[in-house]
Amino acid sequence: MYADFIEQLREQQLVRKKEGLFRSRMVLNGPQEAHVSIDGQTFLAFCSNDYLGLANHSALIESVADGVRRYGVGAGASHLISGHSMAHHKLEEALARFIGFPRALLFSTGYMANIGVVTALLGRGDAIFADKLNHASLNEAALLSRAKLIRYPHADLSVLKKRLAASKAKLKLVMTDAVFSMDGDVAPVDELLALCEEHNALLLLDDAHGFGVLGKQGRGSLSAFEHCNIQSPNIIYMATLGKAAGVFGAFVAAQPEVIETFIQHARSYIYTTATPALLSHALLKSLELIEQEEWRREQLRKLITQLKNELQSLRWQLLPSDTPIQPLIVGKNEVAVQISKALYEQGVLVPAIRPPTVPEGMARLRISLSALHSEEDVKRLTTMLRDLAMNWE
Ligand SMILES: *Cc1c(COP(=O)(O)O)cnc(C)c1O
């Protein structure tokens, strides 16, 4: 039986290879930067979520060193036992203040935060309304909660409105990526919030790609919408700390009673070891850099404009996005893989994103920009893409 099972796995993997769906990992030898080292070769990388270029910032390295001297390495226990340190506590207060919410709670990862939030609040008899293009962690959270999952077409408010109105669920939650991770577009946050208020629904906003990047001083997607009532008690805000913030982790912000419910009931908060306090210590520094170094967001805006200009009228089209996530749609899986490979051979990393991460027939190159890229870096990429497009059979 065992040998059969292994043979079966091997066959499944062969099928994936034939379909151009097989995934493999690159091994980086050194820090995450605009240029990364793999197998002794240097690549220009357009594939990280380190949008502000903080993942290898010297001030963060310093504060990690300071943090480890103060708090040691491991947290040793979960937050509810004895793993909750002063660094975690201060960071929660600083994050709440930064985004203008009454209270925030750290989770180990964004994946765990989404699971914890949804399963702590909803169960059988409740309903979850989810954008079709949401991140996988939100969908998984909905399934785990046993609430009814109702998906609506991407950013389609009129369908969402009808489905909200038709629902007789006890508790309703609308959940959405604020910046869609594979498309780079921004959800109509203000209109979604108005709909939620009208229908007495909670709004879970996953700002993994907006926090630090969008809004005034990087305060995230909510602050990017001028007329959005951030004070609304309907909002539950989630953001990750391993992307623009350059470190690791995630947090949720909401009304104090909602946060207290997570501390009492969110299983992915309760039944896991706290992240090392040294990371929270470093994140306090990261938050300062996010707030103070506007040049990073300015540089991103400049590069986004440049990339869009230089890729105009190519046979492959960028999706309309004003964020550092710039997807170039090529359609077929094999084409995406071939372009990605051709770039790789010229020393440039851009990942091919294929189903099931994106819909069938919408394979793409997901170009992500960082404040550490230079105009020459972007020019190098766009020149290669133009050459490839011109000579494509
Ligand atoms: C990355 C991501 C997550 C998961 O966050 P991690 O901290 O990496 O676990 C959740 N939602 C979205 C939209 C993401 O892009």
Side-chain angles (χ1 to χ4, degrees):
M1 139 70 196
Y2 187 70
D4 280 359
F5 176 62
I6 297 295
E7 186 51 38
Q8 225 176 325
L9 296 183
R10 207 192 324 266
E11 272 167 28
Q12 275 171 16
Q13 287 154 20
L14 268 176
V15 171
R16 269 177 92 77
K17 279 185 185 157
K18 281 196 196 121
E19 290 171 349
L21 291 175
F22 194 76
R23 308 274 186 93
S24 57
R25 302 164 304 169
M26 298 177 293
V27 182
L28 266 70
N29 182 15
Q32 189 67 253
E33 289 260 20
H35 295 83
V36 298
S37 164
I38 300 166
D39 282 338
Q41 199 189 333
T42 301
F43 288 86
L44 171 58
F46 291 95
C47 42
S48 90
N49 303 311
D50 179 28
Y51 303 118
L52 299 180
L54 297 179
N56 190 38
H57 193 290
S58 58
L60 294 192
I61 293 170
E62 279 306 309
S63 62
V64 165
D66 185 41
V68 80
R69 281 190 293 267
R70 288 179 194 228
Y71 299 101
V73 182
S78 65
H79 282 277
L80 291 187
I81 303 298
S82 66
H84 188 66
S85 74
M86 183 53 89
H88 294 118
H89 208 72
K90 275 193 192 157
L91 178 61
E92 287 179 346
E93 288 171 356
L95 287 165
R97 204 177 322 116
F98 182 60
I99 60 162
F101 273 65
R103 201 171 171 196
L105 182 71
L106 290 172
F107 278 77
S108 294
T109 69
Y111 193 103
M112 290 164 81
N114 282 339
I115 301 265
V117 164
V118 176
T119 56
L121 295 179
L122 294 100
R124 282 187 219 283
D126 298 327
I128 297 174
F129 302 81
D131 190 291
K132 269 253 165 77
L133 296 189
N134 276 350
H135 190 261
S137 57
L138 289 169
N139 294 332
E140 253 112 79
L143 295 178
L144 259 179
S145 77
R146 299 184 170 87
K148 185 169 181 194
L149 175 60
I150 300 162
R151 298 171 85 198
Y152 58 89
H154 181 48
D156 191 330
L157 294 171
S158 63
V159 171
L160 173 60
K161 188 182 168 81
K162 278 190 209 123
R163 296 196 177 154
L164 276 170
S167 169
K168 299 207 162 51
K170 280 198 308 264
L171 181 62
K172 300 174 199 176
L173 171 94
V174 174
M175 58 184 200
T176 183
D177 285 20
V179 177
F180 286 87
S181 56
M182 294 300 141
D183 289 51
D185 58 331
V186 179
V189 173
D190 47 355
E191 294 169 81
L192 279 166
L193 182 57
L195 256 186
C196 286
E197 288 183 329
E198 185 186 330
H199 292 272
N200 242 332
L202 294 169
L203 175 63
L204 169 56
L205 204 61
D206 177 338
D207 205 20
H209 300 276
F211 180 76
V213 176
L214 300 182
K216 193 162 167 274
Q217 290 174 303
R219 288 166 207 272
S221 298
L222 274 167
S223 79
F225 287 85
E226 250 172 53
H227 303 293
C228 213
N229 174 21
I230 297 186
Q231 309 306 329
S232 168
N234 295 50
I235 308 175
I236 301 168
Y237 179 88
M238 194 289 289
T240 60
L241 300 168
K243 290 174 178 160
V247 186
F248 185 76
F251 73 97
V252 174
Q255 294 301 305
E257 295 80 1
V258 177
I259 295 294
E260 199 53 50
T261 298
F262 298 147
I263 297 175
Q264 304 302 319
H265 299 290
R267 301 174 67 86
S268 61
Y269 181 75
I270 299 168
Y271 296 106
T272 196
T273 302
T275 53
L278 64 95
L279 297 181
S280 291
H281 189 67
L283 277 158
L284 283 163
K285 186 73 206 173
S286 167
L287 206 52
E288 279 177 29
L289 296 172
I290 290 173
E291 194 168 357
Q292 289 162 9
E293 302 201 337
E294 189 58 35
W295 69 263
R296 295 176 188 274
R297 283 176 290 276
E298 266 163 33
Q299 174 71 359
L300 276 173
R301 287 190 286 268
K302 213 161 75 182
L303 297 174
I304 292 165
T305 306
Q306 182 193 347
L307 182 88
K308 292 210 273 199
N309 285 338
E310 293 177 0
L311 291 182
Q312 259 175 32
S313 66
L314 207 66
R315 66 186 298 154
W316 307 304
Q317 291 288 301
L318 284 172
L319 284 181
S321 156
D322 292 319
T323 68
I325 302 169
Q326 292 288 325
L328 190 71
I329 304 294
V330 303
K332 289 193 176 127
N333 297 346
E334 309 83 74
V335 178
V337 173
Q338 282 161 12
I339 300 172
S340 178
K341 187 155 171 279
L343 293 173
Y344 178 87
E345 281 160 4
Q346 298 175 76
V348 174
L349 294 181
V350 184
I353 308 285
R354 293 153 278 173
T357 310
V358 294
E360 212 60 59
M362 292 285 277
R364 65 198 64 185
L365 295 178
R366 181 180 183 272
I367 301 166
S368 58
L369 296 167
S370 156
L372 293 187
H373 286 131
S374 64
E375 283 165 52
E376 293 72 41
D377 291 336
V378 170
K379 185 80 197 166
R380 193 169 149 208
L381 169 66
T382 57
T383 305
M384 280 180 197
L385 283 170
R386 297 203 77 88
D387 285 350
L388 281 168
M390 202 133 44
N391 299 315
W392 212 258
E393 86 286 351

